[in-house]
Amino acid sequence: TTDLLKVRNLKQYFPIKGGILGRKVNDVKAVDDISFEVKAGETLSIVGESGCGKSTTGRAILRLDEPTSGEVEFDGKDLLALSKKDMRKMRKNLQIIFQDPYASINPRQTVRQILSEAMNIQGVVPKDKQEDRIKELMDTVGLGPHQIDRFPHEFSGGQRQRIGIARALSVDPQMIICDESVSALDVSIQAQVLNLLKKLQKELDLTYLFISHDLGVVRHISDRVLVMYLGKIVEIADKKSLFDNPKHPYTKTLLSAIPVPDPTVKKEQIILKGDVPSPIDPPSGCRFHTRCPFATDKCKNEDPELRTNDDLMASGHRAACHYIEEIESGEMQPHE
Ligand code: SF4
Ligand code: MG
């Protein structure tokens, strides 16, 4: 499989205007030098706590906010080199669906208007074919074609997210970035929308970058998972490898917080000390060192690289920790 999206050394720093209380302060390093690929046809999830940089990454890829530096290559094209106009055209191939479908659709437009507007912007479907296409899209996302003249408020939250999906599909994209797209929905509705996304992926050969703070959702939808902490990638792996065999202490902590379906399986619960530090002045060395139960002086001084080892190599599993092997073997024990 080929890489549809390649992100290289992406940085997104936001200046803080006027500083804090008149003092000049550093930029917010929301995303700080990350590189990864999304393969054609797969779902790569980005997971992490709020403020880790996952949504910022999605927005920077689409240039909804211009990234500070780095490279973004989509389908062989350098997105950061495109003019604004060509970038808008490119969004035909690369769509985004947000958390709150109501916020991103115009409440005064009917579904017909919402979908035909999207098609007109990209000039993908001639006017006389749009009605048929809109009905077909409604059918595709599991809403009746007879509902095309209704307004967003006449639909439930889950149905509105289906309209958001139909709008993204209306321009026939190759890839969709889903930013917390099911997070606002009830759990049972979440499952329905996730299943719809999976079905559409198969039928339409779609590639997803799926951004979520919810590991349960991520487990359901992903092929591979990327974990972020304070603007950095701390671990990336196949879903199974990540969930069964997490290597980074932060990933272990995240996973230990989700309930195990089988109550006879004993799971060691790891409690994190303190809050996530500020991305304005992130900790030196390994950014996780202020909360990591294994941290040493080396961790305070040296930023660990995202790396693999002999055991992990074949599966492409990588983690950014100095002590993957020592923690694995038990040679290093968590301190109190
Ligand atoms: Fe913890 Fe050190 Fe590994 Fe960072 S590098 S995760 S602080 S052990
Ligand atoms: Mg977010």
Side-chain angles (χ1 to χ4, degrees):
T1 44
T2 51
D3 296 332
L4 184 58
L5 179 75
K6 274 192 221 173
V7 173
R8 288 288 171 269
N9 307 106
L10 185 71
K11 289 187 186 175
Q12 185 64 285
Y13 293 0
F14 296 111
I16 301 177
K17 288 210 184 72
I20 293 175
L21 299 174
R23 272 188 306 139
K24 195 183 164 345
V25 290
N26 295 331
D27 293 347
V28 178
K29 294 176 175 162
V31 172
D32 201 6
D33 198 0
I34 67 169
S35 300
F36 63 94
E37 303 76 41
V38 186
K39 296 173 197 154
E42 79 166 344
T43 300
L44 174 73
S45 291
I46 304 185
V47 68
E49 291 162 290
S50 133
C52 70
K54 52 193 195 306
S55 297
T56 307
T57 301
R59 295 181 62 84
I61 290 168
L62 281 163
R63 292 174 59 192
L64 297 175
D65 301 311
E66 290 293 336
T68 306
S69 62
E71 288 166 41
V72 180
E73 193 181 299
F74 176 74
D75 198 20
K77 284 167 212 81
D78 177 359
L79 292 194
L80 304 190
L82 295 180
S83 67
K84 289 244 146 93
K85 190 168 153 242
D86 288 340
M87 187 63 211
R88 271 196 299 277
K89 277 193 215 148
M90 183 56 74
R91 297 217 183 101
K92 178 198 149 347
N93 299 316
L94 182 53
Q95 285 280 304
I96 186 162
I97 304 173
F98 295 103
Q99 169 167 1
D100 178 5
Y102 205 56
S104 61
I105 52 190
N106 183 342
R108 294 209 193 101
Q109 291 186 330
T110 62
V111 173
R112 183 201 295 270
Q113 289 167 324
I114 291 165
L115 297 186
S116 62
E117 187 179 82
M119 291 182 212
N120 289 337
I121 289 172
Q122 293 293 348
V124 280
V125 182
K127 290 237 153 70
D128 61 329
K129 300 260 168 22
Q130 286 184 358
E131 169 142 0
D132 287 346
R133 176 73 178 135
I134 291 167
K135 287 183 173 163
E136 184 189 86
L137 282 164
M138 289 293 274
D139 213 29
T140 305
V141 299
L143 295 169
H146 59 282
Q147 310 204 60
I148 68 170
D149 288 313
R150 300 176 78 182
F151 290 91
H153 72 261
E154 298 178 76
F155 294 90
S156 68
Q159 287 173 324
R160 282 202 290 265
Q161 197 52 289
R162 287 171 192 265
I163 296 167
I165 294 168
R167 185 177 58 173
L169 293 178
S170 69
V171 297
D172 199 13
Q174 290 169 275
M175 178 165 176
I176 301 178
I177 297 177
C178 302
D179 186 3
E180 300 282 7
S181 302
V182 300
S183 303
L185 305 173
D186 291 342
V187 174
S188 62
I189 310 292
Q190 274 187 351
Q192 292 170 11
V193 175
L194 291 172
N195 288 337
L196 172 66
L197 287 170
K198 276 188 163 179
K199 181 181 90 123
L200 294 171
Q201 180 168 47
K202 268 206 212 104
E203 290 173 0
L204 304 171
D205 263 332
L206 292 166
T207 303
Y208 295 141
L209 180 62
F210 195 89
I211 297 166
S212 177
H213 70 283
D214 184 334
L215 281 156
V217 165
V218 163
R219 177 175 242 162
H220 193 83
I221 191 112
S222 317
D223 296 305
R224 290 190 305 136
V225 181
L226 183 166
V227 183
M228 284 185 80
Y229 183 78
L230 272 180
K232 293 270 193 197
I233 298 175
V234 296
E235 187 154 10
I236 182 165
D238 283 344
K239 173 174 69 178
K240 190 168 167 29
S241 196
L242 189 106
F243 277 88
D244 293 354
N245 202 6
K247 296 299 177 195
H248 195 282
Y250 178 62
T251 312
K252 290 181 200 247
T253 322
L254 282 183
L255 293 181
S256 82
I258 53 171
V260 230
D262 179 355
T264 61
V265 176
K266 246 187 76 193
K267 200 166 69 166
E268 172 194 13
Q269 173 93 27
I270 311 168
I271 310 289
L272 273 190
K273 322 178 262 189
D275 295 326
V276 184
S278 161
I280 299 174
D281 199 8
S284 60
C286 175
R287 288 187 184 186
F288 189 53
H289 87 251
T290 56
R291 303 172 81 197
C292 180
F294 298 96
T296 66
D297 281 343
K298 180 176 176 172
C299 304
K300 286 180 199 159
N301 299 315
E302 287 175 40
D303 186 4
E305 274 188 50
L306 193 59
R307 66 184 176 96
T308 188
N309 63 23
D310 290 347
D311 294 343
L312 301 177
M313 191 108 64
S315 65
H317 194 144
R318 288 178 290 156
C321 171
H322 295 305
Y323 300 112
I324 299 174
E325 296 76 8
E326 291 82 352
I327 293 170
E328 182 81 359
S329 69
E331 192 184 314
M332 276 180 82
Q333 290 295 321
H335 25 259
E336 292 305 306

